[in-house]
Amino acid sequence: MNRAFVASLVAASAASVCLAATEPAHAITLRQDLWSTFNSKVNVEGNFLNDSALTLLNPQSLFWNGVDPVDVFFINEGASYRNQLFYSANGGSSTLIFNDVSSTQSILPEKDGALTLGTGVSLGSFSGPTQLDFMIKANGFKNASGHIYGANPANNPDRLEHLLAFEYFDTVEQQKYVLLAFEDLFGTQQQGSDRDFNDVVFVVRGIQEGAPSAVPEPSVLLGMLVVGGGALTLRRRVAAS
Ligand SMILES: [Ca+2]
Ligand SMILES: [Ca+2]
């Protein structure tokens, strides 16, 4: 092989590595009208997220529904912090979902914001009954030792609630969504927090409050996916429009 050819091969592989690093593995997009519905709940900075049209859920009892892939979509953020979002399954190690919850289009935009409103990633399916926890590292993109806030107040550094969960039923696709909203500031309002719970806002499809009554074994699930593949593809197409 001559040197020029080797150099072009190296350049080509570097380009593909670069592409892989910037393109999320399973980038997905929420239906525009659904994003607008969720966004309308959180579009004023400093307003506590509260809506009687949504059912409040216990964020410490969120489970994979046993059927659908778990899809996470970014809705908005009103934070000057550059927060990171993680999840863990059945109390296991935490896995990064969004490395930098910021956007050029969000309530408090950043010129170099990383995310597009309404887009997300699929976490895929799990095996057997699976409890899912979501947590943020406050300003974790900038500060590796930022506070971690999760669903259980007893484990938070200020012992306060930092995550609200609401259920929403989409009548178009007959699908449940869970809207999750984090507060990223330490302490009470007296201690300087605004407690507005709009600092990392996202929705998750494929989860529910409480464990499903029966979760199919992986082999049964595989058969269901093969049989239901057509419907799944159609739903994906609608979701992406
Ligand atoms: Ca805020
Ligand atoms: Ca806040």
Side-chain angles (χ1 to χ4, degrees):
M1 273 192 280
N2 68 40
R3 273 190 197 174
F5 181 62
V6 171
S8 70
L9 273 184
V10 169
S13 79
S16 64
V17 166
C18 217
L19 191 67
T22 53
E23 293 283 316
H26 305 286
I28 48 178
T29 304
L30 193 63
R31 236 176 47 232
Q32 178 66 31
D33 66 296
L34 259 181
W35 174 80
S36 297
T37 297
F38 292 125
N39 189 54
S40 70
K41 316 289 183 194
V42 292
N43 59 2
V44 182
E45 167 60 12
N47 267 19
F48 175 66
L49 194 156
N50 192 10
D51 193 309
S52 57
L54 301 172
T55 307
L56 200 57
L57 301 180
N58 177 2
Q60 295 182 59
S61 184
L62 299 176
F63 284 77
W64 176 44
N65 70 11
V67 179
D68 302 303
V70 176
D71 294 341
V72 179
F73 300 95
F74 170 57
I75 299 300
N76 214 322
E77 59 85 24
S80 45
Y81 276 171
R82 307 287 286 259
N83 297 306
Q84 292 177 312
L85 177 67
F86 300 82
Y87 80 97
S88 75
N90 289 331
S93 58
S94 53
T95 301
L96 192 64
I97 301 175
F98 298 129
N99 184 46
D100 175 14
V101 181
S102 65
S103 174
T104 59
Q105 315 148 308
S106 55
I107 300 164
L108 294 180
E110 302 282 351
K111 283 198 182 89
D112 59 346
L115 300 178
T116 302
L117 308 185
T119 64
V121 291
S122 182
L123 309 183
S125 295
F126 297 84
S127 179
T130 306
Q131 198 229 327
L132 293 172
D133 275 314
F134 296 90
M135 66 284 296
I136 59 167
K137 182 186 275 190
N139 209 27
F141 181 65
K142 298 270 187 183
N143 175 13
S145 55
H147 286 314
I148 307 274
Y149 298 106
N152 185 352
N155 294 336
N156 290 336
D158 54 8
R159 305 285 186 266
L160 295 174
E161 197 172 36
H162 278 261
L163 175 60
L164 298 177
F166 301 89
E167 184 174 283
Y168 176 84
F169 185 71
D170 172 34
T171 54
V172 176
E173 292 175 59
Q174 300 289 302
Q175 180 91 48
K176 276 184 190 171
Y177 286 82
V178 177
L179 176 66
L180 290 156
F182 273 101
E183 172 54 56
D184 67 356
L185 291 175
F186 181 96
T188 62
Q189 281 175 320
Q190 290 73 23
Q191 290 172 303
S193 172
D194 58 6
R195 304 289 291 166
D196 64 357
F197 289 82
N198 77 346
D199 304 313
V200 175
V201 183
F202 58 103
V203 294
V204 185
R205 187 166 61 193
I207 62 170
Q208 62 179 36
E209 185 181 65
S213 49
V215 174
E217 291 302 310
S219 59
V220 178
L221 187 67
L222 188 65
M224 282 172 62
L225 283 175
V226 170
V227 172
L232 194 68
T233 307
L234 180 65
R235 202 167 64 208
R236 279 276 163 102
R237 206 170 290 145
V238 172
S241 61

